Every structure is written in structure tokens, then in C-alpha cells.
Amino acid sequence: MSSRSRTSLRLTAIATVAAGLAFPLLNAPAAHAASTAGGPITRGEVLARAQSWVDEKVPYNQSGYKTDANGTYREDCSGYVSMAWHLTDSLTTWTLPNVSTKIGFSQLQGGDILDYTDAHTFIFNKWTNKANGDFTYYAESNPNNPTHGPTAANINNASIEGWPTSYYGAYRYNHIVNDTTAGIGMWNPSDHYFHLRNSLSAGPNDKDFVFGATGMTPVTGDWDGVGSDGVGMYDSANHTFYLRNSPSAGGNDYTVSFGSAGDIPVVGDWDGNGTDTIGVWRPSNHTFYLRNSNTAGPADKTFVYGGDGMQPLAGDWDGVGADGIGMYDDSTHMVYLRNSTSAGGNDYTISYGTPGDIAVAGDFNGDGKDTVSVWNPTTHYFDINNSNTNNDPSTRFVYGATGMIPVAGDWDGQ
């Protein structure tokens, strides 16, 4: 879950009861403030700033400047990007890479840019059909085509905005952060119902639907790279994943055999391309087997990490846009996290929760980093942690019921 949420849980023998789920919220999560010039900025704010110039019908003028609530910026393509990113000054197409990092086209997310450093740049909005290459964007093009968007295009086209697509590089602003936040949920093994809630609080479910079957383990992830999570199941008996792009009842979008009987599922964005893909952890040899696509085939990464009786985790712990791995030892309530998908030492070792808790990872406050939270199967308390440090819960509330399995995910793309 590339700074979105993902869940991988060890299914144990659990008593089951009906779902009835809510108690008062004890501590509400803090809201996010608007950015300051040159500081961190959420993808949502970048796109809102981009839309504001569309709404204001700002003309193209390479020697003119626009002053409004966004600040003062040059009225051309790179000035438009500078405004949207809330930079301290209007950069040029050849200096925008100085404040950003080059990425692959497949990694593009809202608020990133495509930049032909000799001539033109524009702002990526979102994939509308990533498999086909369809997306929308914002741009200041020329005097005949001033600020416009969202405009449809395809990444496979020979040209975009009048220039060969091959001339462009994809770039990510160094201070951009994801502003989507994980919600929480439950899967009930007794009736196969998902109960999902968009906010981190006690309250009624936003979605209730059936998916999966007895003996399976729930997983969640952004399988199609659209920016919100779908649901899935792993049947350890026949080592098969059943994944659905949306959090709803219906058929599988992906059915993939991977791993071996008895493996524990773990899903994440292993290569930083914005799409969550399958993986397993094998308890018998403490080995991760990870695949970069939701298709059958050999593991793209294989390495040893973890120990007996632990629960595997995945998350973007350091906010770089790709997931690392981790372990939760429910007997000692210790969390062990590693930023990369490889063997090696822990980047974070923390104590969190109480013995017997089930760990759930996600970006619960929209800061672009995943953290580990826990759910207690006896008291039904969710203890949400917004940093991977030894501390008290940032938010605590009751949700779920005995026998259920907790999940986390961005169900609504917000």
C-alpha cells in the first residue's frame, strides 16, 4: 500500500458472533493545515491549487505574473507547476527537476508532473484506466490554450500537449505527501461479511457486503492503481489470491495462484509503481516471496526476515512511495519494521499494544507514511498509532466484535 493501507493477517481459530459495532470516539484525529511555501504539501492541495487557476481562467503569459490567494507566480507552464506545488518562486522547466525526483510513468500519482525540460511541463491528475494508459492532467499550454483541465490523454500516445511523449520525464515534488487516509474495517469469518468504515472512529459501517469464503484470510490493497483500495482473500489451502478492485460484493478481478499451502499473505507496493501486488511469508523458513504483478509466476523478491509465531506486515514506513516489510510478535507486542524489501536489520523496533493484539498497517493520518496500529480481539479496541514510535495511541475507539478480523484501507479515495 504505497502510503495507503494494507492488511496481512494470520488467520487463527476464532469464536464468531454477529457484527454489531460501535462505541464512542475517545480522541479525534487532528485535521491537516494548508501548506506553507516550500514546505510539505498534500496531493489534494496541489490539485486544488491547479484547479483554482482553471476556475479563474488564468491566461498564458510568459512574461506576466498572477497574484491571488495562492501567491504570485508566472503565468506559463512551469509557473503553473510552481504555483500548484506552492514553491517559493516560479521555476522553469529545466529547474523543476532540482526540487523533485524522477520516477517512472507507471508511478505517476496526482500532483506529480511530466516535464520536457527544454520546452513544456504539465500536472498529472489521475489515472482513469491505468491498464490502458488513460489519465487526466492540468496544464498552461500557450496563448491559444491557457490554463485547462482535467484534460484527457493516454500515456501511450505518440505526443501529449504537442510534444513527443518520449521527450517527457515524470517527476515527483520532494515535499509532496499523500493525503488519503486509511479507514478501518472487519471481516467476519462466520458469514463472510466485510464491515467497512471510512473514518477512524466508532460508528456505523459505511459499507457492508459479502466477499470470500470459510478458511480464507482477508487482504486489502490498491490492485489497479486508482488511489483507493479494494478487497481480497487468500486461501492458504490452495495458495490462491482472489482480488477485487472495489470494496464491494462481486466477482474477482484477479485470481492468482502463488505461494504454497500454509503461507501467510502479505500485499504491498513492492516496486513503487502505485499498485499493490501479492506476496506471502512462509512460517516454516521465515521467508518472504514477493511478486511485482498480480499474475502467476515466480517471486520477484525472495529473502528471509522474521521469526516463529510472528505476523508479517507491509507498509511505506519512510514515505518514499514504495513498501517495506515488517513483523508483529503478538506474544511480546513488539513491532519490527524494515524500509526495504530485503533481508537485513530493523529500521524500527518498537513496543506497541498488548499481548494477543492483531496488527494492522496503514496511513492513518495522511502524512504519506504507514504506521502500525493494533486491534484487541477481546476488548475490541482499535489503538491507532500515527508514528512508528513507542507511544500512546493517537486515536482509540471500539469497533468490531469477537471472532472478526481487522482490516484497513482507503475505501473512498479521500
Side-chain angles (χ1 to χ4, degrees):
M1 309 177 202
S2 52
S3 293
R4 294 174 300 276
S5 52
R6 74 259 318 130
T7 304
S8 66
L9 298 169
R10 180 159 45 86
L11 184 62
T12 55
I14 319 172
T16 56
V17 298
L21 313 184
F23 285 81
L25 171 67
L26 301 184
N27 297 296
H32 296 289
S35 65
T36 57
I41 185 169
T42 65
R43 296 184 183 279
E45 186 179 348
V46 170
L47 297 176
R49 290 169 70 90
Q51 181 66 48
S52 71
W53 272 26
V54 174
D55 296 340
E56 294 179 50
K57 298 180 172 60
V58 177
Y60 183 94
N61 184 353
Q62 204 166 31
S63 59
Y65 284 78
K66 169 72 173 177
T67 298
D68 60 9
N70 297 311
T72 300
Y73 295 92
R74 195 176 54 253
E75 298 174 354
D76 63 3
C77 63
S78 53
Y80 184 40
V81 169
S82 301
M83 180 279 296
W85 280 358
H86 203 175
L87 302 183
T88 57
D89 197 8
S90 295
L91 299 187
T92 64
T93 53
W94 58 90
T95 59
L96 283 169
N98 295 342
V99 297
S100 58
T101 301
K102 195 168 187 179
I103 59 175
F105 282 176
S106 66
Q107 295 175 273
L108 283 163
Q109 299 180 51
D112 297 335
I113 65 169
L114 285 92
D115 187 25
Y116 170 30
T117 55
D118 285 348
H120 190 48
T121 185
F122 59 90
I123 302 165
F124 184 89
N125 178 41
K126 68 177 182 179
W127 295 105
T128 53
N129 188 326
K130 190 172 184 179
N132 291 339
D134 298 323
F135 69 97
T136 56
Y137 68 91
Y138 290 94
E140 270 267 29
S141 299
N142 54 57
N144 297 321
N145 192 11
T147 315
H148 58 95
T151 302
N154 187 287
I155 203 68
N156 301 311
N157 288 348
S159 65
I160 303 174
E161 284 280 297
W163 297 98
T165 305
S166 60
Y167 288 11
Y168 290 102
Y171 292 86
R172 177 165 297 158
Y173 179 42
N174 291 335
H175 296 302
I176 202 167
V177 296
N178 293 339
D179 52 353
T180 56
T181 57
I184 43 85
M186 291 284 158
W187 185 69
N188 192 338
S190 67
D191 59 11
H192 314 147
Y193 261 93
F194 274 97
H195 306 282
L196 307 180
R197 182 162 168 78
N198 293 328
S199 60
L200 301 175
S201 64
N205 309 314
D206 292 296
K207 297 188 178 186
D208 298 278
F209 58 91
V210 172
F211 190 79
T214 300
M216 295 184 179
T217 303
V219 293
T220 65
D222 186 1
W223 319 124
D224 54 0
V226 300
S228 59
D229 288 333
V231 294
M233 287 285 159
Y234 183 69
D235 188 336
S236 64
N238 66 5
H239 48 90
T240 300
F241 282 89
Y242 305 93
L243 308 178
R244 181 164 170 78
N245 288 330
S246 65
S248 63
N252 309 313
D253 292 295
Y254 311 86
T255 302
V256 187
S257 177
F258 186 74
S260 298
D263 286 349
I264 300 172
V266 58
V267 299
D269 183 0
W270 314 125
D271 56 3
N273 72 347
T275 302
D276 290 321
T277 53
I278 57 176
V280 295
W281 184 72
R282 191 159 298 160
S284 61
N285 61 5
H286 309 153
T287 299
F288 278 92
Y289 301 88
L290 308 180
R291 185 154 172 80
N292 288 331
S293 63
N294 290 315
T295 59
D300 293 295
K301 296 186 179 183
T302 303
F303 57 92
V304 173
Y305 187 81
D308 290 341
M310 294 185 178
Q311 173 193 332
L313 300 167
D316 186 1
W317 318 124
D318 53 0
V320 300
D323 286 339
I325 42 84
M327 285 287 160
Y328 183 69
D329 188 337
D330 63 1
S331 64
T332 61
H333 53 93
M334 291 297 296
V335 180
Y336 308 96
L337 305 178
R338 182 164 168 79
N339 289 329
S340 63
T341 48
S342 62
N346 308 312
D347 292 297
Y348 309 85
T349 301
I350 64 174
S351 174
Y352 194 69
T354 58
D357 285 349
I358 300 173
V360 183
D363 182 0
F364 297 105
N365 66 346
D367 68 352
K369 297 180 181 180
D370 289 322
T371 54
V372 177
S373 297
V374 294
W375 182 74
N376 188 290
T378 302
T379 64
H380 311 149
Y381 268 106
F382 256 112
D383 287 325
I384 303 296
N385 191 0
N386 287 333
S387 64
N388 289 314
T389 59
N390 299 313
N391 57 14
D392 294 326
S394 305
T395 304
R396 193 172 198 233
F397 57 92
V398 170
Y399 189 79
T402 302
M404 295 184 179
I405 300 174
V407 295
D410 178 13
W411 318 125
D412 57 1
Q414 299 179 7

